Amino acid sequence: MLPAVQTSLQAPFRRLRPLSLHALALGIATLCAPHAAFAQDVARPVDTGPIAGAPAAPPVSTGETEPVAFEADDVQYEQNSEVVTATGNVVLRRRDDKGQVQSVRADKVTWNRQSGKILADGNVRMVDQDGNQLYTEQVELTDELKTGMMENLLLVMREGGRLAALKGERIANGDVILNKAAYTGCDVTDDDGCPKKPSWRIVAKQVIYSDTQKRVRFKDARIELFGVVQLPLLGLTISTDGHAVSGFLMPDLKSSPSNGIEIAQSYYWKLAENRDLTGTVSAFTQAAPMASLQYRALTDKGAYQITGLATASSRIPIYSGTGEEITSGERSFRGYIFANGKFQLDDNWSVTASIRRATDRTFLRRYDNNRDDRLRSMVEVERIDQDSYFTIAGYATQTMVANRTQGLIPVALPMIDYRRRIDDPLLGGKFELQANSLAISRTDGQDTQRAFASAQWSLRQLTNMGQEITFTGLVRGDVYHSSDNALTTEDLYRGLSGWQQRGIATAAVDVKWPLVGQAFGGTQVLTPRVQLVASPHVKNLAIPNEDSRAVDLDTGNLFALNRFPGYDRVEDGVRFTYGFDWQFERPRWKIKTTVGQSVRLSNQNTVLPDGTGLSNKTSDIVGRTEIRYRDFLNFIHRFRVDKDTMAVRRNEFDAVIGNTQSYLELGYTRLNRNIVNDIEDLQDREELRAAGRIAFARYWSMFGSAVVNMTSRKDNPEYGSNGFQPLRTRFGAAYEDDCVQISLTWRRDYVALGDVKRGDSFQLGFALKNIGGGG
């Protein structure tokens, strides 16, 4: 018998496969089942610090041997039976062929050298190579520290989840069976380190882990919420390697006035490591069922997804179209397809594409998919390098607006744009060359094609007094062709049919003078700015206007060379623009303000319509102010004031007050520009927006939002409001702690459209956090 000494031994063992506690942990993490009668205590306190007194890890295994280092207060050896018994803080360590270390700590370890069996007894603690820790009273181990029988075990995963079971056993085929098990992903201690009951846990009569398949299957599993509510979980299987696995997802529950009560159940298929498919069936009490499929794939060049929704129901026409809508009440196929993806072919070339199409204009809104007023499909090929940009693209749009005719919606194909930057070797400036081509077609409207080439030179200089002076020169030549011009009702947009040519030349000088100083306990920067821009008369009205319609003066385009948003219209003549930027900063505070105005020095007529702020020789006054206080307050105000009457033509503000837990968002827009009703892109409106959240009682919160149309019939007779018309309101309550989210949301829609009814909708949200990797 060996003497009782503290020693460190190296012993040869046969090579065997190691146990991955991490895989077992993740597998069990995804399952939840509650049967408090026989589930173990997942919240019992344990020591998760490093194992004290561990010997140095042995060398990596070689050949058919597995070195295992161990240390103990007392070691005894019976020579006849070849049994080694170590007692008193016994620690075993083993390094596998990948260099990863596993450790076992126990009060007593008995090793039979003939059979290779190891029995660890008393306060057993195992740490695998991934940092997961297993606690049990007794466990049988192989000579590579692989588990056999276990009793009263607790598995604490590195990610924070815990699994407890009464018994565990490895059967002949290598599977591990855990009986009467419980799992939770919640914290089991509060902020003060005191034990607390988890919000949810999953208990199961039996959990089966397959090491070869990397799967965990649960039998007779239930989820227990707050120790009261119990819900069954049927057919639950999860992955143990952190990857997704096929299975049912959490169902969705909601109600709406158009469809009644909805229950949606999804099933997830993992087709491969880089491909999956999700199928959903939605059942309604007041509508036919709907099915949807989503396919996703990741390739070595990029990723793409395809989503489709389909049902059969009746719909109500919302406009007098050309046979696109069916008779009211007639049942027919309805659906929606959405596919998109992006592929990076090499360092410079990429391809982006998407398609969005619906069978009718109210399908997406009725089934609460989205409220977009248009669905755009596109394809774009891009090449980008340090000094050049090239794209060729195509766009098609399906309108969702009730009174729009689809035949008047343009299709842009192709759209080609090329730009290149070149250094100016003479003066040190920069040249930017551009070539652009666009073809627009309509089935029931005007067709337009254009091409232009331009060259822009710019030079930025700093004077000895600190002024920043920028010189700019631009020349451009355009060629247009259009047909069916009479189908465009607005004269400003139509242009002349046939071939049209246009030449453009622009010169500009821009001067800024930053003045820095101290004020009000902080630093201020006052930057006066002046700009002079000159362009000869341009043949604007002869050119169709496709991309320059929604023009409006603001601080974003005040100092632009061309205040029109696109290429089809050019602001000609000579103009002088002046204004200033003011910025103030002190601890916790930041204020930025921009104010400016423009004066046209020539007497020639302009194509800018009345109400845009630019139609007269002297423009309206525009400004923008932003105020920030730490992360608690952010206020932005934009305005445009009539230069004659000082009437506010544009008044818009957005404010956010609060923190991430409790906050209030307010938004207001008032456009009072007195623009004629024929110009649909520039109509006046007034809108109020509000949203907020109040957190209380640590885990609870209340939230809400509202959008109100305040446009009067005087401002816009066709907008459908008389000064106060709620469009949507939402209100709800939520509970969220470290591992569960529960919410109930009420929403009211005030506007009916076709088969989309006004009324109240409800949605119940439920999500478990920290439930591990798996589907």
Side-chain angles (χ1 to χ4, degrees), residues 186-205:
C186 306
D187 287 338
V188 296
T189 58
D190 58 19
D191 296 337
D192 298 327
C194 300
K196 70 172 185 178
K197 192 171 185 177
S199 301
W200 62 264
R201 65 173 184 170
I202 297 172
V203 293
K205 287 185 177 179

Side-chain angles (χ1 to χ4, degrees), residues 213-278:
Q213 299 178 359
K214 303 300 179 184
R215 294 290 185 269
V216 173
R217 301 190 304 274
F218 293 82
K219 294 185 177 181
D220 195 7
R222 299 173 182 237
I223 180 169
E224 181 181 276
L225 300 174
F226 306 105
V228 178
V229 181
Q230 294 190 6
L231 301 174
L233 296 174
L234 303 177
L236 183 59
T237 301
I238 61 172
S239 169
T240 63
D241 52 10
H243 296 95
V245 64
S246 301
F248 287 99
L249 304 181
M250 192 70 68
D252 291 329
L253 178 64
K254 64 177 70 173
S255 71
S256 67
S258 300
N259 303 312
I261 298 176
E262 174 190 353
I263 299 178
Q265 179 62 64
S266 300
Y267 188 85
Y268 173 82
W269 286 274
K270 181 183 177 182
L271 305 177
E273 290 299 324
N274 63 330
R275 294 181 294 117
D276 60 32
L277 183 69
T278 302

Side-chain angles (χ1 to χ4, degrees), residues 559-608:
F559 290 95
L561 292 181
N562 181 26
R563 265 85 73 97
F564 285 99
Y567 297 109
D568 292 340
R569 289 289 180 266
V570 178
E571 193 175 0
D572 52 13
V574 181
R575 69 177 185 270
F576 175 75
T577 305
Y578 60 93
F580 68 86
D581 298 328
W582 181 70
Q583 179 172 314
F584 170 76
E585 289 190 44
R586 62 171 295 176
R588 302 181 179 182
W589 286 93
K590 184 175 183 179
I591 304 175
K592 296 172 63 176
T593 295
T594 300
V595 178
Q597 189 179 30
S598 181
V599 179
R600 198 165 57 247
L601 304 180
S602 57
N603 292 320
Q604 63 192 43
N605 294 328
T606 177
V607 295
L608 289 157

Side-chain angles (χ1 to χ4, degrees), residues 677-743:
N677 295 329
D678 295 338
I679 306 178
E680 61 185 20
D681 304 276
L682 300 172
Q683 290 302 296
D684 290 334
R685 65 186 179 91
E686 186 174 6
E687 183 179 272
L688 178 64
R689 306 171 300 277
R693 181 177 185 266
I694 299 176
F696 61 95
R698 191 172 185 180
Y699 298 124
W700 290 90
S701 65
M702 300 178 67
F703 55 88
S705 64
V707 179
V708 180
N709 175 19
M710 303 178 67
T711 308
S712 66
R713 289 195 175 97
K714 178 182 177 182
D715 291 334
N716 190 339
E718 298 181 358
Y719 208 63
S721 172
N722 193 23
F724 189 87
Q725 180 190 34
L727 300 178
R728 291 183 304 278
T729 55
R730 185 173 68 103
F731 181 78
Y735 174 91
E736 180 177 0
D737 60 20
D738 60 289
C739 61
V740 67
Q741 287 178 308
I742 303 174
S743 64

Side-chain angles (χ1 to χ4, degrees), residues 32-157:
C32 320
H35 253 326
F38 48 67
Q40 295 305 293
D41 182 12
V42 295
R44 70 177 188 255
V46 290
D47 179 15
T48 57
I51 294 179
V60 177
S61 58
T62 58
E64 292 299 320
T65 64
E66 289 283 356
V68 175
F70 72 92
E71 209 166 79
D73 294 339
D74 182 84
V75 178
Q76 297 183 358
Y77 175 64
E78 295 183 3
Q79 188 170 8
N80 295 333
S81 60
E82 295 191 61
V83 173
V84 178
T85 302
T87 57
N89 194 30
V90 185
V91 180
L92 294 83
R93 300 190 74 192
R94 171 187 170 274
R95 190 192 302 270
D96 62 17
D97 54 359
K98 296 181 180 179
Q100 297 176 322
V101 178
Q102 294 174 270
S103 302
V104 178
R105 186 269 172 208
D107 292 340
K108 178 181 178 181
V109 173
T110 303
W111 171 34
N112 189 319
R113 298 188 61 185
Q114 294 181 352
S115 64
K117 295 295 183 180
I118 302 173
L119 179 63
D121 192 10
N123 297 316
V124 180
R125 178 181 173 192
M126 300 179 63
V127 182
D128 72 357
Q129 61 271 23
D130 296 313
N132 303 293
Q133 304 192 46
L134 175 67
Y135 301 84
T136 183
E137 291 299 320
Q138 187 179 77
V139 61
E140 291 183 6
L141 304 172
T142 64
D143 46 12
E144 61 155 359
L145 306 187
K146 196 171 183 180
T147 60
M149 294 290 297
M150 294 169 284
E151 293 183 359
N152 194 21
L153 64 95
L154 172 67
L155 178 62
V156 178
M157 288 162 283

